[in-house]
Amino acid sequence: MLLIIGYVIILAASLGTYAVHGSLAALWVPMEYIAIFGLALGGFVAGNGMKTVKATIGALPKVFKGSHLNKTVYMDLLAMLFEVLAKVRKEGLMSIENDIENPHESPIFTRYPAIAADHHVMEFICDYLRMMVGGNLNAFEIENLMDIEIETHHQEAHVPVHAIAKLADATPAFGIIVAVMGVVNVMGSVGAPPAVLGKMIGGALVGTFLGILLAYGFISPVAGQLGQKVEEEGKIFQVIKTVLLASMNGYAPQVAVEFGRKVLYSGDRPRFIELEEDLKARKGK
């Protein structure tokens, strides 16, 4: 939503202020638009592999959606981890074997549909709980493996961001190419009347204008939005990692989830008392 609002402001500030003292019709040069869009599309396809192209197309809808990660979701996550770790502390690690092997049938996980619906999050939780049940790895080894997996996920999620950012960097140059092509056309018509030459020069400059406007006003903000969403989505894995490692190091479930609470961004982090009361309320149900 904010992206669309930003686009409206950009158009109002550029085209709106221009319309006060100029004619918008002068900016309508269809061939310039077609050339720039074609160059941008060709550069994007030529500069990226099929996996990157598919990942970028798949990531674009995210910029028009709000983040599903908020305080409520994180409260559910911490409560779910608390419940799992409390069961482990009371009944032993083997007691959660059925839960992690069949998470969609687990009486614990099914109580938290917002978390259970996220395939990547559930896979991350179950994989490391499975390692804890196996007992073959210590906390340091599991922490190292978690860091590697989170970094891999982070790099993969940033692929569309880098692709769109590179496109934004290249688009002003495409605008210059189109402008130069227009100037070459003008130089071939030097015998034409001044009014005709002026219109042709103005049309050529539209290429430079459009390239810069698209790059910094439209494409670059998309890369920025996607980058912010990648950082937000990566936080949930850090919370899970912190809670599970705290448990492996011998801390009680209440203390372990407090470790995880501290990892959250301030806007999504519940207060200590708020989390404590929420856990008590859920326990009483």
Side-chain angles (χ1 to χ4, degrees):
M1 186 62 183
L2 289 178
L3 182 68
I4 296 175
I5 294 173
Y7 282 170
V8 171
I9 295 172
I10 289 168
L11 290 173
S14 56
L15 301 184
T17 55
Y18 173 80
V20 174
H21 56 76
S23 172
L24 288 176
L27 298 177
W28 180 242
V29 188
M31 296 310 296
E32 304 276 330
Y33 288 68
I34 293 173
I36 289 179
F37 280 110
L39 286 167
L41 179 60
F44 174 74
V45 172
N48 299 288
M50 185 55 68
K51 287 183 179 180
T52 300
V53 172
K54 289 182 178 179
T56 303
I57 294 173
L60 287 177
K62 291 183 180 180
V63 302
F64 300 103
K65 300 177 181 178
S67 176
H68 69 285
L69 298 174
N70 50 42
K71 182 186 288 189
T72 301
V73 172
Y74 282 120
M75 292 275 277
D76 283 347
L77 174 67
L78 293 173
M80 186 182 77
L81 292 173
F82 173 82
E83 191 169 345
V84 170
L85 296 178
K87 183 177 181 180
V88 169
R89 195 173 184 86
K90 182 178 180 181
E91 302 175 23
L93 277 168
M94 296 305 297
S95 66
I96 62 169
E97 187 173 12
N98 289 333
D99 295 297
I100 59 181
E101 294 302 335
N102 301 289
H104 297 297
E105 299 175 7
S106 165
I108 296 178
F109 294 142
T110 52
R111 278 200 287 271
Y112 304 92
I115 307 299
D118 193 320
H119 169 72
H120 295 296
V121 169
M122 288 304 302
E123 185 177 34
F124 188 83
I125 293 172
C126 291
D127 281 351
Y128 289 103
L129 286 175
R130 190 176 293 111
M131 291 182 188
M132 291 169 63
V133 170
N136 296 323
L137 297 174
N138 59 42
F140 296 106
E141 292 170 325
I142 288 184
E143 180 178 12
N144 183 57
L145 187 57
M146 284 180 170
D147 288 337
I148 293 173
E149 182 173 354
I150 291 173
E151 180 62 25
T152 300
H153 177 273
H154 191 72
Q155 291 175 351
E156 188 176 31
H158 263 98
V159 167
V161 179
H162 295 318
I164 295 175
K166 287 190 294 183
L167 178 61
D169 292 339
T171 303
F174 293 145
I176 293 173
I177 290 173
V178 173
V180 170
M181 292 167 61
V183 171
V184 170
N185 187 36
V186 171
M187 297 304 291
S189 307
V190 290
V196 174
L197 288 175
K199 184 176 181 179
M200 294 175 68
I201 294 171
L205 292 176
V206 168
T208 303
F209 157 76
L210 184 61
I212 296 173
L213 179 63
L214 286 176
Y216 300 112
F218 289 85
I219 302 176
S220 186
V222 172
Q225 285 267 12
L226 283 178
Q228 292 174 23
K229 290 185 181 299
V230 167
E231 297 300 326
E232 290 176 2
E233 291 172 357
K235 180 58 65 176
I236 193 168
F237 296 101
Q238 295 176 356
V239 173
I240 297 166
K241 166 194 164 184
T242 304
V243 172
L244 294 184
L245 288 175
S247 176
M248 289 192 71
N249 284 314
Y251 290 99
Q254 181 69 53
V255 179
V257 295
E258 173 62 16
F259 277 39
R261 184 186 74 86
K262 286 294 188 180
V263 175
L264 292 170
Y265 293 122
S266 59
D268 298 324
R269 185 193 306 142
R271 292 177 295 107
F272 175 83
I273 298 299
E274 187 178 1
L275 177 60
E276 185 178 40
E277 291 177 349
D278 181 72
L279 294 176
K280 289 180 180 178
R282 293 175 190 264
K283 190 176 180 180
K285 291 182 180 179

